[in-house]
Amino acid sequence: MIGAGVAGLALARGLLAAGHEAEVYEEAPELRTAGGSVSLWPGSTAILEELKADHAGVGRRLETLESWGSDGRRLLTVDLTVPERRYGHPVVHVARRELVELLSDGVPVTYGVRAEQVVPERAEARLSDGRTVRGDVLVGADGRRSVVREALWGEDRAKLSGWVTWQGFTTIPTALTEDHRAVMIAGRQGLCGLIPAGRGRLLWWFDVKAAPGGPFWADDPHVVERLRERFRGWADPVPGILDTITDIDFFPHHKQPIPEVWGKGPTTLAGDSAHTMPPTMAQGANQALEDAWLLARSLGDLRAYERARSRVVRRPARMAGTELTDRQGPIVRLIPDGLATTVYASMLRRYSTYLLTAS
C-alpha cells in the first residue's frame, strides 16, 4: 500500500487478519493525525468491528441530525437511532486522530518515504529512499494528490466545487458538547456545522463560497475576522465559538469523476485517490473503509472490486457534488421528520457496499 490514511491502514489491517502479507509506505514522518473528526455511519462501525478496531471508548454516539435556521429555529430532525436499530450498528462521531490510531494498532508502516514513480503493470513503486518495492498487488491509498492515480489516469481530474470549509475544535462548554446531536445551521451567508466528538470537544465548521486567491481562501490572513463578520448574529453557540477561534484548518471542496474501472493489471486504488468528493455528505472516511473492506476480499479480481465500488460510491459523490447541504434553506421545514428519517436510513444503505451485501 502507498499511503497510511484511513483506507490504507484499514486495508492492511484486514489483509493481515486474513493471513496475507502487507507493506505500507507513507510519505509523512509519522502517523498522520491532523484533521478534525468524522461521522461514521452504521456500515463503517460494522466494518470497524470486523477489523477488531474497538471504537467503544472514543468519539460520541449520535442520536439525531438536526437542521436549524440561522436564528436557532429547528427546521428538521433526522432520528439516527432508526438506522442504528435497522442495521444493528450505531452512528459515531470520532476525531480523525483517534480513528487512525485505532486502525494503525498492529499495522507495520514505513514512514518518511514517498512513492516517486509507479509502474502499474508490475505493481512496482520506486521510493524516495532509493528502494524499488514490488508486490502481488499494489494499492494507491495516497489521497487526493495520489502518485499511483497519476500513473494510472494521467492528469488530475478533480475540480474545485466553489465551496470551502474552515474547521476546528472547541472545548468551551456548550449545550451540544456532551449531547448526542449533530446540528447544521444554514443561512444565506453559508453553513455552520456542530458535532460533539467526545472528551469535551465540539467540532465546528463553516462552509462558504470562495475562489483561489480571494477572501476565505487558504492564504487569507484575515479569515477569522471575516468569519466573525459573516456569521455575526447567528444563534448560540455560534457567536461564542467564533470568539474563541485560535487553531483553524482549511479544506477546499473538490469534485472528481469516478470511472467504472480505476486500475490496471495488479494495481488499484482506494479512498480519496479513487473518489475525492466534497465533505458535505460526511462520506470520505466511510467510503475509504468500504473500499478496504471489499478490497480485502477481492484481491483475486481487482476489476470486479472497482466496478462494485464505483456503482455504490458514485451515489454519495454525486450528491455531495451538488453541495445540497450547503444550499439548504427554510424549505426543509416542510419535510416531515419521519419521512426525512426514513429516506436518510435508506440512503445510508444505498451508500454502503457492506450494508447492501449484508442484506
Side-chain angles (χ1 to χ4, degrees), residues 22-337:
E23 299 176 3
V24 184
Y25 299 93
E26 167 58 45
E27 179 178 359
E30 58 187 3
L31 185 65
R32 292 190 287 112
T33 57
S37 46
V38 296
S39 295
L40 299 177
W41 308 110
S44 293
T45 51
I47 289 169
L48 289 181
E49 290 177 19
E50 286 201 8
L51 292 175
K52 302 294 191 294
D54 184 7
H55 60 82
V58 299
R60 197 77 173 167
R61 174 177 163 271
L62 298 180
E63 297 178 355
T64 61
L65 173 60
E66 301 179 7
S67 292
W68 294 2
S70 59
D71 58 0
R73 287 180 298 165
R74 187 189 65 80
L75 305 176
L76 179 71
T77 297
V78 173
D79 184 352
L80 296 178
T81 68
V82 170
E84 178 179 350
R85 292 192 300 271
R86 180 177 300 178
Y87 305 124
H89 301 278
V91 178
V92 175
H93 192 76
V94 59
R96 186 184 182 280
R97 168 187 288 272
E98 292 166 353
L99 176 60
V100 295
E101 287 175 346
L102 282 178
L103 292 171
S104 67
D105 184 30
V107 175
V109 180
T110 301
Y111 291 101
V113 292
R114 65 182 183 277
E116 294 190 331
Q117 186 175 2
V118 172
V119 183
E121 296 82 359
R122 297 203 297 265
E124 177 181 292
R126 190 182 70 200
L127 305 178
S128 57
D129 62 3
R131 285 183 293 165
T132 295
V133 294
R134 300 180 184 86
D136 295 326
V137 173
L138 172 65
V139 180
D142 46 342
R144 208 201 67 71
R145 298 178 180 83
S146 171
V147 174
V148 181
R149 185 192 63 231
E150 182 179 2
L152 289 166
W153 297 7
E155 65 179 13
D156 186 0
R157 303 177 189 177
K159 306 295 182 184
L160 292 168
S161 78
W163 288 80
V164 302
T165 293
W166 289 94
Q167 73 173 33
F169 287 115
T170 183
T171 56
I172 64 169
T174 76
L176 297 173
T177 304
E178 300 301 329
D179 210 334
H180 298 272
R181 294 182 289 162
V183 172
M184 292 184 296
I185 311 172
R188 59 182 178 81
Q189 298 89 345
L191 180 136
C192 174
L194 304 166
I195 309 184
R199 300 183 181 177
R201 295 163 301 182
L202 184 74
L203 177 76
W204 55 261
W205 76 91
F206 293 92
D207 286 357
V208 295
K209 288 186 176 181
F216 297 106
W217 200 254
D219 52 358
D220 182 353
H222 306 294
V223 67
V224 174
E225 291 83 356
R226 293 188 197 277
L227 289 171
R228 288 171 179 162
E229 177 65 24
R230 172 164 290 202
F231 294 93
R232 183 178 57 187
W234 277 36
D236 287 334
V238 176
I241 289 169
L242 288 167
D243 286 343
T244 59
I245 290 177
T246 52
D247 297 327
I248 186 169
D249 293 323
F250 170 76
F251 298 94
H253 295 194
H254 286 87
K255 298 187 291 185
Q256 175 182 300
I258 302 171
E260 182 178 5
V261 172
W262 305 342
K264 181 187 301 181
T267 298
T268 191
L269 300 171
D272 283 351
S273 60
H275 42 68
T276 295
M277 67 185 75
T280 52
M281 299 302 295
Q283 284 289 328
N286 292 273
Q287 296 302 323
L289 288 167
E290 297 274 353
D291 288 349
W293 177 80
L294 185 60
L295 182 50
R297 291 157 174 75
S298 307
L299 293 182
D301 193 342
L302 300 181
R303 304 294 86 81
Y305 149 76
E306 294 160 3
R307 287 190 292 270
R309 285 296 298 132
S310 67
R311 284 194 296 271
V312 174
V313 77
R314 282 173 181 163
R315 296 166 186 164
R318 287 169 178 162
M319 182 63 75
T322 68
E323 300 283 358
L324 184 63
T325 301
D326 287 330
R327 302 176 191 274
Q328 65 180 305
I331 194 172
V332 300
R333 71 159 66 94
L334 302 178
I335 305 172
D337 290 351

